[in-house]
Amino acid sequence: MGTKALLIGISLFEVGILYWLLCGTVLEKEYFRKKDWVILYASTVGIGINAGGNRSLIFFSQYEFIVCVAVTCICVLLISGQYKFLRIIIVILYYALVALVDFFAAFVSMIVLRHEFKNVVYLYANSMVECILFFCVRLIVACCVYQIVKRKYDKAYIREFQSLLLMVMIIMCLMLRYYQIAIVSMMLEGREQEAGTVGLSLMGVMLIILFTAIVYLKNKTLEKEKELLIMRDTMVAQKYTELETAIEKNRQLSHDLKNHILVLKHFKMEGDYEGIDKYIEEIEQNFFDIKRIVWTGNQIADMLLEQKRILAEQEGIAFTIQAVPVAEWMFDDSETCSLLGNLLDNAIEACMRMDYNANKWVSVKIENQKQLLFIKIENSINEAPVMEKGRPVSVKGDKKRHGYGLKNVERILNKYDGTIAYLSRDKAFQIKLLI
């Protein structure tokens, strides 16, 4: 009875480690409601007791493994938040990895115990040796999970490698089935002496997978960092160039102001008031009006909002801004250019792709309540955009060079623990940011 309780405790520990991993990677525990915490704790207790009771009867059960995976997947899907498919991948990958490490520990035990293993662990699956074996494995797994959680990977960053995790998960499941058949046949045929060879092959395959995954992740990370730095520098330079262009045109206007006054006086003397109106309209079309208008209180944000408003209206797009002064603008200048610049450019470009006679509009709303910054950008569209991995797919020709705008926005939001949501409705597309 004592070892059975110990096995249940170890299984509770195992499920707890899994939820610790999920909360540190893809689950948004800061937004958990009471229902989510109930699901988390209830599933931990239920799955832990069931798995622990099963291990007191048999060393490894394929059906119990499937039941644990299925129940856990259902529970994590019921918890609020995004990244549903990624949650399932992590759950299956975790259980498969723990089971494979259990097998490796079993092969090592076979080398030490020889024929005794069958009686002490495999058949008599309620022994202290089995408890020690299971506990040591889960302690090692807990240390690995601690290293992952400590790094605080961005959820968007983890989602970038969803395909890689899926591939590793499939390989792990196939390996699990293979080594389960191997250990059963070894026990039935009394071939414990082969444990060293089989265990060595398992360790070799695991190391190869781990090394390949690390190299792949390292290369991908370096490649993405390089691309992001290039994109960031390019976008920042572009935004500042646009602002400099506006300032230069304003200087030209100031320089030619005397000549414009003389022309207007001439029209007045001739009584040509229609000519005065046309001349004023011509001046307005040729120059940017960059007068200092306070929307948020941040100079770069306000200049971008005003500049994009003018550019949109020149394209026949109605552009409305509802904003309040923000007490503490958290983004630096380059982040402000990337965040607002990308979102506003996307909204304006979406309107420009609409039919010539269509009703084109962009609406920007910025609110600041207590310590929360809320930004909503909405624009008219012809049809709802195609969504992939939770974000709109770029419709531009060169897919490799486009589509990084929203990724940059998401990375900035992750830096400040913000969230982004996309919504299509009634010929309109909406992006909501909460920071």
Side-chain angles (χ1 to χ4, degrees):
M1 187 66 183
T3 52
K4 184 175 182 178
L6 191 57
L7 284 170
I8 291 174
I10 293 170
S11 297
L12 289 169
F13 180 51
E14 177 186 339
V15 182
I17 296 170
L18 170 59
Y19 277 111
W20 182 29
L21 173 63
L22 289 169
C23 288
T25 52
V26 292
L27 291 181
E28 300 164 315
K29 63 179 180 180
E30 59 271 21
Y31 301 112
F32 274 14
R33 291 171 291 181
K34 187 177 180 181
K35 176 208 74 169
D36 301 320
W37 287 113
V38 170
I39 293 172
L40 191 150
Y41 288 120
S43 61
T44 300
V45 174
I47 297 168
I49 292 174
N50 181 63
N54 184 268
R55 285 182 184 133
S56 67
L57 301 174
I58 186 171
F59 176 77
F60 178 82
S61 167
Q62 179 184 351
Y63 300 106
E64 179 63 22
F65 174 82
I66 294 172
V67 168
C68 284
V69 168
V71 174
T72 308
C73 286
I74 292 171
C75 291
V76 298
L77 288 177
L78 291 175
I79 294 175
S80 306
Q82 300 175 325
Y83 316 103
K84 303 286 188 183
F85 186 59
L86 190 55
R87 297 181 192 182
I88 294 174
I89 293 174
I90 292 175
V91 168
I92 300 174
L93 183 59
Y94 172 83
Y95 278 124
L97 179 61
V98 172
L100 283 171
V101 181
D102 279 343
F103 284 164
F104 179 74
F107 293 135
V108 173
S109 300
M110 277 189 220
I111 297 172
V112 177
L113 299 173
R114 293 290 180 177
H115 299 292
E116 298 262 333
F117 175 83
K118 186 174 183 179
N119 297 320
V120 174
V121 176
Y122 191 75
L123 292 180
Y124 180 52
N126 201 6
S127 66
M128 187 57 66
V129 175
E130 186 192 33
C131 292
I132 294 171
L133 187 149
F134 281 138
F135 178 73
C136 290
V137 168
R138 277 134 195 84
L139 196 60
I140 293 170
V141 172
C143 292
C144 296
V145 170
Y146 170 74
Q147 293 299 321
I148 295 172
V149 174
K150 186 175 69 170
R151 292 178 180 271
K152 295 182 179 179
Y153 290 109
D154 290 338
K155 294 174 179 61
Y157 175 83
I158 297 172
R159 191 174 59 187
E160 293 293 327
F161 301 102
Q162 181 171 291
S163 300
L164 174 65
L165 292 174
L166 178 61
M167 187 182 303
V168 173
M169 181 205 78
I170 294 171
I171 294 172
M172 290 284 191
C173 289
L174 293 174
M175 287 175 59
L176 181 62
R177 180 58 179 161
Y178 173 81
Y179 284 103
Q180 182 207 2
I181 294 173
I183 198 170
V184 169
S185 64
M186 287 169 67
M187 291 297 98
L188 291 176
E189 299 171 12
R191 294 186 286 112
E192 289 87 350
Q193 69 276 9
E194 296 179 8
T197 304
V198 179
L200 192 62
S201 71
L202 174 57
M203 183 177 69
V205 175
M206 293 284 286
L207 288 175
I208 290 171
I209 294 173
L210 180 63
F211 178 76
T212 305
I214 290 174
V215 171
Y216 178 83
L217 287 172
K218 200 73 174 175
N219 290 337
K220 275 290 184 182
T221 301
L222 291 174
E223 183 181 328
K224 285 184 177 294
E225 286 178 356
K226 182 180 177 181
E227 290 176 349
L228 286 173
L229 286 172
I230 293 172
M231 290 292 294
R232 187 191 67 180
D233 293 342
T234 301
M235 283 186 285
V236 171
Q238 179 185 351
K239 304 307 175 188
Y240 279 113
T241 300
E242 291 174 357
L243 293 176
E244 287 178 358
T245 302
I247 293 171
E248 180 60 28
K249 288 198 173 185
N250 189 62
R251 287 174 182 161
Q252 293 175 17
L253 178 61
S254 299
H255 182 268
D256 296 337
L257 187 58
K258 291 181 180 179
N259 295 326
H260 294 313
I261 291 173
L262 290 174
V263 173
L264 291 172
K265 282 185 176 179
H266 174 75
F267 280 125
K268 182 181 178 182
M269 290 174 61
E270 296 291 329
D272 187 358
Y273 296 104
E274 184 178 347
I276 291 175
D277 292 337
K278 288 182 179 180
Y279 192 75
I280 291 174
E281 288 178 6
E282 183 181 341
I283 294 174
E284 287 179 342
Q285 290 175 358
N286 291 332
F287 296 96
F288 291 96
D289 178 11
I290 58 167
K291 57 188 177 182
R292 182 76 166 97
I293 297 179
V294 177
W295 298 108
T296 66
N298 178 268
Q299 184 176 5
I300 298 298
D302 292 345
M303 291 180 74
L304 276 171
L305 287 169
E306 183 62 15
Q307 181 190 0
K308 298 303 179 184
R309 183 188 67 81
I310 295 169
L311 289 173
E313 290 179 352
Q314 288 178 353
E315 297 292 338
I317 302 169
F319 197 102
T320 59
I321 303 173
Q322 289 180 275
V324 297
V326 179
E328 185 178 351
W329 189 261
M330 60 192 70
F331 309 113
D332 60 34
D333 290 350
S334 63
E335 290 170 342
T336 301
C337 283
S338 182
L339 188 76
L340 287 179
N342 277 308
L343 296 178
L344 294 174
D345 284 343
N346 288 347
I348 293 171
E349 288 170 8
C351 291
M352 291 173 67
R353 288 193 294 269
M354 296 179 68
D355 298 333
Y356 180 77
N357 294 322
N359 179 28
K360 305 176 184 180
W361 54 270
V362 175
S363 172
V364 181
K365 187 174 183 180
I366 301 176
E367 294 181 342
N368 183 214
Q369 296 180 0
K370 296 182 180 179
Q371 295 182 339
L372 294 177
L373 176 63
F374 175 78
I375 301 174
K376 183 176 76 172
I377 298 177
E378 192 171 12
N379 59 272
S380 55
I381 53 173
N382 270 332
E383 57 184 14
V386 177
M387 304 296 287
E388 184 178 298
K389 293 183 178 180
R391 70 168 70 92
V393 177
S394 174
V395 296
K396 297 177 183 177
D398 189 351
K399 301 292 183 182
K400 292 184 178 179
R401 301 191 63 181
H402 295 293
Y404 284 100
L406 288 178
K407 292 181 182 179
N408 287 337
V409 169
E410 290 178 2
R411 282 186 171 85
I412 293 171
L413 291 175
N414 283 325
K415 176 181 176 182
Y416 296 94
D417 295 325
T419 60
I420 185 169
Y422 307 98
L423 176 66
S424 296
R425 60 170 185 84
D426 301 332
K427 295 290 183 180
F429 182 70
Q430 186 180 101
I431 293 182
K432 292 182 179 179
L433 311 181
L434 182 63
I435 309 100

